[in-house]
């Protein structure tokens, strides 16, 4: 049998068309055609970029509050009241702004790329919280150093002025630090820990207490040495007095001293009577003020102007 060239061409085209239809039908058996396969990688990257842009906007908005806190703590050296509440408010507001401004994923709920989008959203949300928490934690630690110095000053003042015991002063200083540090804590921030700073405070307080105890010990020892020395000197004095009584007898309790300047002369006569012994001394002492007193001085005889008398009675 003879087949023409035209008939052969028709058969080839028919076979080709049938093969195409069969391939298409097999693709339909897998659920979608090649043209319908999603490009998940490109869509996920675009969604991450959009979330990163939103995160940058939120951080820029929160940076004003962070800068104000930094100025108060670092530049002014202040402890911000209710710092933990303020920090928590800044973080919550930023997370709320991010959730409001973040674009929704274009993937359908049944699409496998939807879980990738959710993971990307959670990651960006965590990055935003970390970016805000880090500088706030630095300010938290900085304020702990202020609280430590305040507690130490309170301890020194209590010990030196109020007269309470060192143990009570240490307890009060530690309680003050703990109370103030709790006000700085951000709720839910587990890595905000004041324990290391509190341990250092307690170590310094113990060192100060030990130094004070050593100083008190030195003062007590010095006072005891002085008291021992005074007792020794008193005993020696008593021994000398006893020897004098044995040699010279009972001494008189009277101590009398007399001084007299002879008028119109430079002679001065001094007499003393002390411990039962009399002593007379004649000295020549020029009177520098005689020219101002006239030729006879104040008086011409014995009077208060040229007579001195002292009396001492030892019992």
């Amino acid at each position: 049998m003879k087949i023409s060239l035209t008939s052969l061409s028709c058969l080839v085209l028919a076979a080709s068309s049938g093969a195409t239809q069969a391939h298409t039908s097999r693709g339909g058996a897998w659920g979608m055609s090649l043209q319908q396969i999603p490009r998940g990688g490109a869509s996920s990257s675009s969604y991450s970029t959009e979330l990163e842009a939103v995160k940058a906007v939120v951080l820029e908005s929160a940076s004003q509050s962070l800068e104000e806190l930094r100025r108060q703590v670092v530049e002014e050296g202040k402890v911000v009241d209710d710092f933990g509440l303020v920090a928590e408010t800044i973080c919550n507001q930023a997370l709320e702004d991010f959730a409001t401004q973040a674009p929704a994923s274009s993937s359908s709920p049944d699409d496998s790329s939807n879980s990738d989008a959710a993971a990307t959203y959670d990651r960006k949300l965590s990055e935003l919280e970390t970016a805000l928490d880090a500088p706030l934690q630095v300010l938290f630690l900085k304020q702990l150093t202020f609280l430590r110095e305040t507690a130490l000053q309170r301890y020194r003042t209590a010990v030196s002025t109020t007269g309470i015991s060192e143990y009570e002063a240490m307890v009060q200083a530690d309680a003050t630090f703990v109370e103030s540090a709790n006000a700085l804590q951000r709720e839910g921030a587990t890595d905000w820990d004041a324990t290391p700073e509190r341990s250092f405070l307690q170590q310094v307080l113990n060192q100060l207490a030990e130094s004070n105890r050593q100083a008190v010990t030195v003062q007590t020892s010095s006072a005891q040495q002085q008291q021992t020395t005074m007792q020794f000197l008193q005993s020696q004095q008593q021994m000398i007095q006893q020897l004098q009584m044995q040699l010279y007898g009972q001494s008189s309790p009277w101590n009398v001293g007399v001084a007299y300047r002879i008028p119109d002369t430079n002679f001065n006569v001094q007499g003393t009577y002390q411990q039962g012994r009399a002593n007379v001394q004649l000295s020549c002492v020029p009177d520098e003020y005689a020219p101002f007193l006239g030729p006879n001085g104040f008086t011409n005889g014995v009077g208060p102007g040229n007579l001195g008398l002292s009396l001492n009675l030892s019992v």
Side-chain angles (χ1 to χ4, degrees):
M1 181 176 57
K2 296 182 180 180
I3 300 176
S4 63
L5 182 60
T6 302
S7 300
L8 182 60
S9 299
C10 292
L11 290 174
V12 171
L13 291 175
S16 176
S17 175
T20 302
Q21 293 176 0
H23 181 76
T24 303
S25 63
R26 286 194 299 268
W30 289 101
M32 63 184 68
S33 63
L34 291 175
Q35 290 81 0
Q36 295 175 343
I37 297 178
R39 272 92 178 151
S43 177
S44 176
S45 175
S46 176
Y47 186 61
S48 177
T49 302
E50 293 176 356
L51 292 180
E52 185 66 27
V54 174
K55 185 184 76 173
V57 172
V58 174
L59 286 176
E60 180 65 24
S61 177
S63 63
Q64 299 179 359
S65 300
L66 294 177
E67 178 60 24
E68 177 63 20
L69 291 177
R70 188 201 67 82
R71 184 186 62 81
Q72 295 182 23
V73 175
V74 178
E75 297 182 3
E76 298 181 5
K78 294 172 52 179
V79 176
V80 180
D81 296 334
D82 297 328
F83 177 81
L85 181 60
V86 175
E88 184 68 14
T89 301
I90 293 175
C91 292
N92 290 339
Q93 184 62 43
L95 296 179
E96 182 179 350
D97 293 343
F98 181 83
T100 303
Q101 302 176 22
S105 175
S106 59
S107 303
S108 61
D110 298 333
D111 197 346
S112 61
S113 62
N114 187 48
S115 60
D116 295 338
T120 301
Y121 179 88
D122 293 340
R123 185 177 71 254
K124 293 300 179 182
L125 195 66
S126 178
E127 291 176 358
L128 173 61
E129 185 176 8
T130 302
L132 294 173
D133 182 80
L136 290 173
Q137 187 178 8
V138 171
L139 297 179
F140 166 74
L141 297 176
K142 181 67 175 178
Q143 292 178 92
L144 287 182
T145 60
F146 298 158
L147 296 181
R148 183 192 66 201
E149 295 301 325
T150 302
L152 290 175
Q153 185 62 33
R154 181 183 295 270
Y155 166 80
R156 296 188 182 98
T157 303
V159 171
S160 60
T161 59
T162 61
I164 64 176
S165 65
E166 293 183 355
Y167 176 76
E168 293 178 352
M170 292 174 62
V171 171
Q172 292 180 3
D174 182 71
T176 301
F177 176 85
V178 172
E179 181 181 359
S180 301
N182 289 336
L184 299 180
Q185 289 274 3
R186 178 193 162 201
E187 184 178 358
T190 57
D191 54 343
W192 286 31
D193 190 9
T195 302
E197 199 68 33
R198 182 186 180 187
S199 300
F200 183 70
L201 170 63
Q202 294 175 347
Q203 180 181 358
V204 175
L205 289 175
N206 290 329
Q207 292 176 354
L208 290 176
E210 181 64 25
S211 299
N212 291 337
R213 283 192 291 268
Q214 292 179 357
V216 171
T217 301
V218 171
Q219 292 176 356
T220 304
S221 177
S222 177
Q224 291 178 350
Q225 291 179 358
Q226 291 179 357
Q227 184 177 4
T228 303
T229 303
M230 292 297 297
Q231 292 177 352
F232 174 77
L233 293 177
Q234 289 176 357
S235 64
Q236 294 297 315
Q237 175 113 16
Q238 292 176 357
M239 291 177 61
I240 293 174
Q241 291 178 354
Q242 291 175 0
L243 292 175
Q244 288 178 348
M245 291 176 61
Q246 293 176 1
L247 293 175
Y248 305 105
Q250 180 69 32
S251 61
S252 174
W254 293 89
N255 295 327
V256 181
V258 178
Y260 175 70
R261 175 181 291 277
I262 301 175
D264 299 329
T265 65
N266 293 330
F267 293 102
N268 189 28
V269 180
Q270 294 180 348
T272 59
Y273 177 80
Q274 186 175 6
Q275 295 182 354
R277 292 180 297 175
N279 184 23
V280 179
Q281 181 180 1
L282 178 63
S283 59
C284 181
V285 181
D287 189 359
E288 299 178 355
Y289 300 97
F292 301 98
L293 301 179
N296 296 322
F298 284 110
T299 62
N300 291 325
V302 178
N306 53 9
L307 177 63
L309 178 63
S310 64
L311 177 63
N312 185 13
L313 177 62
S314 300
V315 179

